[in-house]
């Protein structure tokens, strides 16, 4: 069952009482809990979809991620204790769903989780939990766009215990050449992440 079967989306006829929602915190029957959730979800749906779409290259994948996110949100939603920021809550869940998507397709981003953490520490600025999650998701998206040669270089360099010197020896290049290539790839990733986050902030 898709979200539109359980919860009609914007533009669907919800009947004449579609704007009448119960107060949060009331002792709500299941039907009214659905209405409270539906109101919050529809208010934030475009922002959630914009967030997912800027981080997932293919629209079909983005649709699937949003569908999975909507089910998790519904399962965890408590109308008597609603999240302070529904969109931020949804984006954080979406981040983990996006991670799952990339893990399922290792050929696009063949990095282990611990390697991604080391790469994140090197490339990304630190921030609050949600900001860091957004940057890591953007990093995954940008890694998928690199050439296979550049991804292989990063995989070797950020493997546990690796150094620029050991990476140079493995690829049979000079240390200076590897250092220059790594600097170029970091710059490409930084620019890609910046553009991705800018599109995300500008999404409706």
């Amino acid at each position: 069952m898709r979200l539109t079967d359980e919860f009609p989306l914007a533009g669907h006829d919800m009947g004449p009482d579609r704007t009448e929602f119960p107060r949060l915190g009331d002792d709500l029957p299941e039907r009214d809990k659905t209405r409270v959730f539906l109101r919050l979800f529809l208010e934030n749906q475009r922002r959630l979809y914009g967030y997912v779409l800027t981080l997932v290259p293919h629209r079909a994948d983005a649709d699937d991620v949003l569908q999975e996110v909507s089910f998790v949100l519904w399962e965890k939603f408590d109308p008597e204790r609603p999240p302070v920021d529904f969109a931020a809550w949804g984006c954080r869940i979406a981040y983990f769903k996006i991670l799952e998507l990339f893990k399922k397709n290792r050929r696009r981003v063949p990095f282990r989780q611990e390697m991604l953490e080391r790469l994140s520490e090197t490339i990304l600025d630190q921030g609050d939990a949600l900001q860091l999650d957004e940057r890591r998701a953007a990093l995954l998206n940008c890694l998928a766009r690199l050439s296979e040669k550049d991804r292989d270089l990063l995989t070797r360099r950020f493997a546990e215990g690796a150094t620029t010197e050991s990476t140079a020896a493995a690829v049979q290049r000079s240390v200076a050449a590897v250092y220059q290539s790594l600097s170029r790839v970091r710059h490409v990733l930084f620019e890609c992440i910046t553009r991705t986050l800018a599109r995300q902030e500008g999404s409706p």
Side-chain angles (χ1 to χ4, degrees), residues 116-174:
L116 285 171
E117 292 294 333
R118 288 193 290 272
L119 188 56
S120 297
E121 291 173 1
T122 301
I123 294 177
L124 303 179
D125 294 329
Q126 300 302 303
D128 62 37
L130 178 59
Q131 289 175 333
L132 190 55
D133 284 348
E134 290 174 346
R135 291 176 187 139
R136 284 174 176 165
L139 172 61
L140 281 173
N141 179 53
C142 293
L143 286 170
R145 298 171 183 268
L146 289 177
S147 68
E148 184 176 348
K149 180 179 179 181
D150 286 342
R151 285 201 303 269
D152 178 69
L153 185 64
L154 287 178
T155 300
R156 293 177 183 276
R157 173 59 186 87
F158 288 93
E160 185 175 2
T163 64
T164 302
E165 289 75 14
S166 65
T167 302
V171 298
Q172 298 182 336
R173 296 172 60 189
S174 69

Side-chain angles (χ1 to χ4, degrees), residues 42-197:
L42 291 180
E43 286 175 353
N44 294 279
Q45 180 187 6
R46 290 174 65 85
R47 180 179 170 188
L48 286 173
Y49 189 61
Y51 170 77
V52 173
L53 197 58
T54 57
L55 300 175
V56 178
H58 304 291
R59 186 173 292 271
D61 288 339
D63 290 342
D64 290 342
V65 168
L66 183 64
Q67 192 69 33
E68 292 180 17
V69 169
S70 68
F71 287 136
V72 174
L73 291 174
W74 169 245
E75 289 173 357
K76 295 181 178 295
F77 182 70
D78 180 356
E80 296 183 5
R81 300 177 61 186
V84 175
D85 188 334
F86 189 93
W89 179 45
C91 286
R92 185 161 179 79
I93 291 174
Y95 163 72
F96 290 106
K97 289 298 180 182
I98 291 168
L99 281 183
E100 291 177 9
L101 175 67
F102 279 104
K103 287 177 181 178
K104 290 177 182 177
N105 197 338
R106 288 287 187 181
R107 288 180 298 176
R108 284 166 58 187
V109 187
F111 291 89
R112 297 174 62 86
Q113 184 65 32
E114 56 270 21
M115 192 181 299
L116 285 171
E117 292 294 333
R118 288 193 290 272
L119 188 56
S120 297
E121 291 173 1
T122 301
I123 294 177
L124 303 179
D125 294 329
Q126 300 302 303
D128 62 37
L130 178 59
Q131 289 175 333
L132 190 55
D133 284 348
E134 290 174 346
R135 291 176 187 139
R136 284 174 176 165
L139 172 61
L140 281 173
N141 179 53
C142 293
L143 286 170
R145 298 171 183 268
L146 289 177
S147 68
E148 184 176 348
K149 180 179 179 181
D150 286 342
R151 285 201 303 269
D152 178 69
L153 185 64
L154 287 178
T155 300
R156 293 177 183 276
R157 173 59 186 87
F158 288 93
E160 185 175 2
T163 64
T164 302
E165 289 75 14
S166 65
T167 302
V171 298
Q172 298 182 336
R173 296 172 60 189
S174 69
V175 172
V178 168
Y179 181 83
Q180 185 176 21
S181 293
L182 288 171
S183 296
R184 174 185 56 78
V185 174
R186 287 193 185 102
H187 178 73
V188 169
L189 287 174
F190 178 80
E191 292 295 321
C192 177
I193 291 167
T194 300
R195 290 194 302 270
T196 299
L197 294 176

